[in-house]
Amino acid sequence: MKLSVVVLISGRGSNLKSVLEAAQLPDSRFQIVGVISNVPGAGGLDHAKAHDVPAFVIDHKAFSDRAAFEAALASKINQLAPGLICLAGFMRILSGDFVRAWRDRLINIHPSLLPSFKGLNTHARVLDAGVRFTGCTVHFVRPETDDGPIIIQAAVPVYADDSEATIAVRVLAEEHRILPLA
Ligand code: GRF
């Protein structure tokens, strides 16, 4: 039986697109059973629709606090009953309680070689630090942000004339390759 996966997004959803496409390959071991965005109008919702995957918006701004938002999120996820939740550019911090409830069934993709460069604006900090390699990581989620057992990583070179934008293109191509593998 295929592993059923719910993907959580907040934005353009290029990683979502890569897993939707990989799920359609004949030997795929997973299927995407739903996509949830916390941002109305997120570009990734169109990718879900194009693949006939149910897509839902749960706007965090419509809730009084994080607990209420997460209760709605959990309720929708439980309806979809996935074996795995995949965070693919999901830009809300999830509470320790939520993360513990899905321990080892909740993965995230991060655009750096963890444990280096946790948090936001990774490519700018990579340039500032002068490192010669960066990359991306898929990991199991733990309560501490961008922490948890590493599943797969890919490294890319950083060149002297790189900008944030050129690094982002190089890293993103690897994100799209490793997320379906994870
Ligand atoms: C990716 O760089 C991912 O690693 C990070 O957010 C970005 C999402 O991009 N967590 P997309 O929405 O998948 O195009």
Side-chain angles (χ1 to χ4, degrees), residues 50-82:
H51 283 81
D52 287 324
V53 168
F56 308 91
V57 173
I58 301 178
D59 182 356
H60 63 279
K61 291 184 182 153
F63 297 87
S64 53
D65 58 17
R66 193 206 314 256
F69 166 65
E70 279 190 6
L73 188 62
S75 164
K76 179 54 73 184
I77 290 169
N78 288 332
Q79 278 171 28
L80 295 165

Side-chain angles (χ1 to χ4, degrees), residues 9-16 87-91 108-111 123 136 171-172 175-176:
I9 62 166
S10 301
R12 78 191 147 178
S14 68
N15 279 290
L16 167 65
L87 307 181
F90 182 68
M91 302 305 284
N108 178 50
I109 182 149
H110 181 76
H123 305 320
C136 47
V171 171
L172 201 58
E175 293 186 41
H176 297 163

